[in-house]
Tab-separated table of all heavy atoms in Angstrom:
chain	number	residue	atom	x	y	z
S	14	ALA	N	25.868	24.520	39.223
S	14	ALA	CA	24.588	24.828	38.688
S	14	ALA	C	23.622	25.414	39.697
S	14	ALA	O	22.968	26.397	39.276
S	14	ALA	CB	23.860	23.485	38.109
S	86	TRP	N	-17.747	26.857	23.050
S	86	TRP	CA	-16.846	26.531	24.114
S	86	TRP	C	-17.211	27.555	25.302
S	86	TRP	O	-17.085	27.155	26.464
S	86	TRP	CB	-15.416	26.715	23.828
S	86	TRP	CG	-14.870	25.628	22.951
S	86	TRP	CD1	-15.133	24.245	23.143
S	86	TRP	CD2	-13.988	25.655	21.848
S	86	TRP	NE1	-14.405	23.602	22.158
S	86	TRP	CE2	-13.693	24.344	21.333
S	86	TRP	CE3	-13.319	26.728	21.265
S	86	TRP	CZ2	-12.779	24.174	20.313
S	86	TRP	CZ3	-12.485	26.473	20.189
S	86	TRP	CH2	-12.227	25.230	19.643
S	160	PRO	N	12.829	25.882	23.847
S	160	PRO	CA	13.549	25.809	22.660
S	160	PRO	C	14.150	24.373	22.452
S	160	PRO	O	14.523	23.858	23.463
S	160	PRO	CB	14.601	26.912	22.648
S	160	PRO	CG	14.650	27.457	23.998
S	160	PRO	CD	13.589	26.695	24.842
S	185	VAL	N	3.145	39.904	30.442
S	185	VAL	CA	2.183	39.122	31.274
S	185	VAL	C	2.935	37.940	31.726
S	185	VAL	O	4.028	37.621	31.205
S	185	VAL	CB	0.942	38.749	30.413
S	185	VAL	CG1	0.141	39.912	30.074
S	185	VAL	CG2	1.413	37.969	29.061
S	191	SER	N	6.635	22.002	28.556
S	191	SER	CA	7.452	20.801	28.212
S	191	SER	C	6.614	19.830	27.436
S	191	SER	O	5.678	19.305	28.054
S	191	SER	CB	7.961	20.229	29.407
S	191	SER	OG	8.945	19.156	29.186
S	250	LEU	N	-6.564	12.973	35.947
S	250	LEU	CA	-6.912	12.665	37.369
S	250	LEU	C	-5.593	12.286	38.177
S	250	LEU	O	-5.522	12.695	39.399
S	250	LEU	CB	-7.904	11.424	37.417
S	250	LEU	CG	-8.309	10.945	38.788
S	250	LEU	CD1	-8.865	12.060	39.660
S	250	LEU	CD2	-9.097	9.748	38.768
S	264	LEU	N	-8.194	17.011	24.211
S	264	LEU	CA	-9.580	16.374	24.117
S	264	LEU	C	-10.695	17.302	24.544
S	264	LEU	O	-11.796	17.144	24.179
S	264	LEU	CB	-9.621	15.144	25.095
S	264	LEU	CG	-10.835	14.218	25.067
S	264	LEU	CD1	-11.020	13.558	23.755
S	264	LEU	CD2	-10.881	13.254	26.185
S	275	VAL	N	-14.349	15.618	35.353
S	275	VAL	CA	-13.289	14.883	36.076
S	275	VAL	C	-12.890	15.657	37.270
S	275	VAL	O	-12.706	15.187	38.433
S	275	VAL	CB	-12.091	14.409	35.171
S	275	VAL	CG1	-11.057	13.720	36.010
S	275	VAL	CG2	-12.604	13.348	34.175
S	324	VAL	N	-6.093	20.424	7.845
S	324	VAL	CA	-4.851	20.771	8.448
S	324	VAL	C	-3.915	21.278	7.367
S	324	VAL	O	-4.171	21.170	6.203
S	324	VAL	CB	-4.127	19.481	9.167
S	324	VAL	CG1	-4.876	19.103	10.429
S	324	VAL	CG2	-4.036	18.268	8.180
S	339	LEU	N	-10.949	5.909	14.898
S	339	LEU	CA	-11.177	7.187	15.683
S	339	LEU	C	-12.592	7.130	16.282
S	339	LEU	O	-12.822	7.360	17.468
S	339	LEU	CB	-10.876	8.318	14.773
S	339	LEU	CG	-11.056	9.793	15.393
S	339	LEU	CD1	-10.132	10.045	16.537
S	339	LEU	CD2	-10.915	10.817	14.220
Side-chain angles (χ1 to χ4, degrees):
Chain S
W86 286 320
V185 291
S191 181
L250 177 60
L264 186 64
V275 170
V324 286
L339 175 65

